[in-house]
Amino acid sequence: MGAEADEGRLGVVFVHGFLSSSETWNPITSLIAGDPALERVDPLLFDYESRLWQPDPRRRIPTLRVVADMLKEFLDSQTSGHRRLALVGHSQGGLVIQYCLARMLGEGRGKDLARIRRVVLFACPNSGTQWGAAFRRGLLRGNPQERDLRPLNEEITEARRVVMRDIVRATEVTERTCPVPFAVFAGQTDNIVPPASAQDVFPDVSVLPGDHNGIIRPDTREHLTYAALRRHLVLCLPDPPAGPVEERPAPPPQDAPAVAAPAPAPRATRPLHGGHTGQIRFAEFTPDGKALATFGAKRPTALLWDMTHPRPTGAALTDAQWRTFGRQVTHAVFSPDGRVLVTATEMRVGPAMYAPKKLHLWDTATQRPLGEPLQVSRLAVVSGLAYSPRGDLLAVAPAASPVKLWNPVTRKSVRTLRHTFGTVEATAFSPDGRTFVAGSYRGGDMRMWDVDTGRPDGEPLVGHTAPVHTIVFSPDGALLATAAIERTVRIWDVRARRQVWRLDADRRDPVYALRFSPDGRHLLTGTSGGRVTRWDAGTGERSGEDLLVDSVVKAVGFTPAGGLLVATGGTVPRVYEWNPAPAKGR
């Protein structure tokens, strides 16, 4: 297609596997061609040479690195007419896709990946394949593609580490990061790439009928493989226009104090010197705004800051072995009183990835561990974490596993919250601690549970079409605000279990921080472009002028006096503080 292609169309790049060709996709592309639900989908077949051996001494079999660079050129030159892309790989093709994405990030092209809305992998040997290992090594001696399929291949492992850290777990679009959802499928009877290798440590995993080749040969639209692929492709298509949904929530009482929108100048700007040597990956304010925890993006440094002083309150956090973090922190939450900080770290590629996953609990006054780490999962990494406002429960969501509620004092599991989401990505407790909400990594649906019984509370909240990465309640628990990778922000009526507003935010400037004002009348959003916007929670409209800061907004909080706090994550991280807005009539 040309450069003037309709922005509403989706280009789907299919990448075949080892000893195969683009013809392997014929069963799927023929079904797409006759499917009204996918009439805006354009299949784009990427082909490369893959054979047992090369008899012509003047030619060679390309390595996966060479094939990945070919795919990179294919994306640049053959898909320029598509503003939206999905990448679909089978077997070795999934490794080609990951290698290509890692190469592009290495070139500082993270922003070019923003048009890739989803990656779908079928029977991809993410951890390598041992099938016929001795036979392959003897017969295919010198075949570079066969070497790349072996377990613990160094180049492939490094590429997958980049993909997991800077794509799957990324939260912002930068030159070196870009969040893209991955959907990973294993074959039910596949003995070439067993589920343990196909699923690996990805958060959104599932199993489909068929062996290694049969998994991508659906014969009808009702076949589970095609139904699964269609579901993911539909999620990549454009959303309906933004605007109000159904009726507006009831207006606040007339005698409620009206608060004008802020247009304040910053009262204080505090550079975060004294610990971090680079950008902040994410940050977290204590509930009362008196302290801030920041976590380094490059060096795995975790620091605590007293908001009354310009320097950290102590040295970088250390684990029970008196070593600084060897892995980056992926999740962190404070206890309601701010005395405890709980951290989870990313997985480590290699044998350590199969070690039990643990949480560290820290005394924020001493920066020392509180007892031994809490073992929360045998294999799965932590994908969601929340601390109950009552202080009695810690919700932990391991990837592809039920949510567990733990007692942070006794270190015992209290209750299990079961779901069908595959993997939970975002979590939150209601202000009274009686309700827990979690968002699905697959499609963006959310569900609520009664914390005391562990039972689902009402029907799922449906609206987002991509993973929800942030969930916050209003102080009175009446409203829920969510932000998703699809770059939309929505406000929900908790009691009615329905969406009331989808905010008219700039889709080119993703929202990464959400916070309701202390009175619950406004929602503040912070974006990757350093913009803080105040929204009227009762009308879904902007309220006042936007506040601009130096770089991506990592966290939003409030001082005890009600002043607005904003933490940024630039090369020189800063905290901005604004005075409370004066009360005025409208």
Side-chain angles (χ1 to χ4, degrees):
M1 294 185 65
E4 299 301 324
D6 184 353
E7 292 188 11
R9 299 198 69 81
L10 172 70
V12 182
V13 179
F14 289 92
V15 185
H16 64 80
F18 185 55
L19 303 181
S20 183
S21 71
S22 59
E23 293 182 357
T24 193
W25 298 109
N26 287 348
I28 287 178
T29 56
S30 62
L31 290 174
I32 290 177
D35 191 341
L38 301 181
E39 61 181 359
R40 291 181 292 163
V41 168
D42 299 318
L44 306 170
L45 302 179
F46 173 73
D47 218 337
Y48 62 94
E49 185 170 320
S50 180
R51 56 172 63 200
L52 288 174
W53 57 80
Q54 176 55 263
D56 189 342
R58 297 169 300 177
R59 305 180 64 184
R60 64 172 183 166
I61 298 173
T63 64
L64 252 61
R65 180 171 182 170
V66 170
V67 176
D69 283 346
M70 289 174 55
L71 177 59
K72 179 159 60 77
E73 177 59 31
F74 183 90
L75 296 177
D76 289 340
S77 60
Q78 301 299 313
T79 68
S80 59
H82 290 86
R83 299 292 181 87
R84 294 170 177 264
L85 291 176
L87 307 184
V88 180
H90 172 243
S91 189
Q92 178 180 262
L95 299 180
V96 172
I97 290 173
Q98 295 179 69
Y99 210 145
C100 174
L101 299 182
R103 296 273 288 170
M104 293 181 71
L105 287 181
E107 296 172 359
R109 298 182 56 190
K111 295 181 180 180
D112 291 342
L113 301 185
R115 63 185 180 131
I116 300 176
R117 303 310 171 97
R118 195 159 297 241
V119 175
V120 182
L121 304 181
F122 294 106
C124 175
N126 290 296
S127 297
T129 173
Q130 290 281 13
W131 181 83
F135 170 80
R136 284 165 30 209
R137 291 174 185 175
L139 180 63
L140 306 181
R141 186 182 303 275
N143 187 314
Q145 294 180 12
E146 187 279 328
R147 287 198 302 268
D148 290 330
L149 294 176
R150 297 176 188 176
L152 301 180
N153 176 280
E154 291 185 5
E155 282 193 290
I156 298 301
T157 298
E158 175 61 20
R160 289 178 46 253
R161 185 182 70 83
V162 172
V163 167
M164 186 63 65
R165 182 191 65 202
D166 298 330
I167 296 180
V168 176
R169 293 294 176 194
T171 58
E172 59 182 309
V173 178
T174 69
E175 292 181 352
R176 300 290 180 177
T177 64
C178 182
V180 179
F182 272 64
V184 179
F185 297 97
Q188 181 184 29
T189 57
D190 188 353
N191 196 36
I192 296 178
V193 179
S197 178
Q199 298 177 344
D200 198 54
V201 295
F202 283 94
D204 186 4
V205 299
S206 191
V207 176
L208 296 173
D211 57 17
H212 189 66
N213 294 316
I215 189 176
I216 59 168
R217 293 177 181 171
D219 51 3
T220 66
R221 295 181 194 168
E222 289 70 35
H223 191 283
L224 194 56
T225 292
Y226 184 75
L229 177 61
R230 176 171 53 186
R231 175 171 64 87
H232 285 287
L233 296 185
V234 168
L235 291 175
C236 299
L237 293 170
D239 293 333
V245 178
E246 299 181 359
E247 61 186 273
R248 298 186 178 185
Q254 294 298 317
D255 57 352
V259 180
R267 185 180 73 187
T269 303
R270 307 172 185 176
L272 301 184
H273 293 308
H276 291 293
T277 59
Q279 294 184 342
I280 289 178
R281 184 178 186 182
F282 73 100
E284 186 80 13
F285 284 103
T286 54
D288 59 9
K290 293 182 179 179
L292 172 71
T294 56
F295 304 91
K298 292 185 178 180
R299 293 183 58 193
T301 307
L303 295 174
L304 289 172
W305 305 79
D306 184 338
M307 288 294 94
T308 63
H309 301 287
R311 297 186 62 82
T313 60
L317 300 181
T318 57
D319 62 21
Q321 286 74 44
W322 295 75
R323 296 175 300 169
T324 55
F325 280 112
R327 290 173 285 175
Q328 290 184 342
V329 177
T330 58
H331 298 80
V333 291
F334 280 103
S335 61
D337 58 10
R339 296 180 179 179
V340 178
L341 175 66
V342 184
T343 60
T345 55
E346 68 177 356
M347 67 93 182
R348 186 192 300 274
V349 176
M353 72 172 62
Y354 301 107
K357 304 305 181 294
K358 301 176 181 179
L359 299 178
H360 290 269
L361 282 73
W362 307 87
D363 184 325
T364 57
T366 64
Q367 287 84 61
R368 303 302 306 161
L370 285 170
E372 294 297 317
L374 176 63
Q375 180 175 316
V376 296
S377 174
R378 287 295 306 171
L379 295 177
V381 297
V382 174
S383 60
L385 192 62
Y387 215 124
S388 170
R390 296 188 295 195
D392 59 340
L393 292 174
L394 184 66
V396 183
S401 301
V403 177
K404 288 290 187 73
L405 300 182
W406 295 80
N407 185 312
V409 177
T410 65
R411 309 297 179 92
K412 293 183 179 180
S413 176
V414 175
R415 196 163 291 111
T416 299
L417 307 181
R418 302 192 179 279
H419 56 81
T420 58
F421 287 162
T423 290
V424 164
E425 187 72 8
T427 57
F429 282 96
S430 61
D432 61 8
R434 300 179 60 184
T435 301
F436 177 78
V437 61
S440 166
Y441 182 85
R442 288 184 177 178
D445 292 351
M446 294 175 291
R447 177 172 283 286
M448 293 186 178
W449 287 265
D450 184 303
V451 171
D452 295 327
T453 65
R455 296 176 181 174
D457 187 0
E459 295 298 316
L461 302 178
V462 179
H464 285 294
T465 59
V468 176
H469 59 74
T470 306
I471 300 176
V472 294
F473 277 92
S474 61
D476 61 1
L479 297 176
L480 188 72
T482 57
I485 291 178
E486 69 197 2
R487 304 183 183 184
T488 64
V489 177
R490 302 166 192 257
I491 298 178
W492 310 76
D493 183 318
V494 174
R495 178 172 295 181
R497 297 292 195 273
R498 64 179 178 86
Q499 177 183 314
V500 291
W501 298 111
R502 190 173 77 180
L503 305 185
D504 187 21
D506 186 348
R507 300 289 290 274
R508 297 168 297 179
D509 191 12
V511 169
Y512 294 125
L514 292 177
R515 191 71 177 258
F516 277 97
S517 59
D519 61 8
R521 295 170 58 86
H522 295 91
L523 174 71
L524 291 109
T525 59
T527 72
S528 64
R531 183 179 299 273
V532 181
T533 302
R534 191 179 190 185
W535 305 86
D536 189 310
T539 66
E541 298 176 351
R542 273 185 167 84
S543 182
E545 297 181 1
D546 293 345
L547 306 175
L548 300 178
V549 293
D550 72 311
S551 69
V552 56
V553 176
K554 295 296 185 178
V556 178
F558 291 90
T559 67
L564 174 63
L565 292 169
V566 176
T568 65
T571 305
V572 181
R574 296 175 181 273
V575 171
Y576 291 83
E577 183 176 346
W578 281 268
N579 284 319
K584 295 180 181 180
R586 297 188 181 183

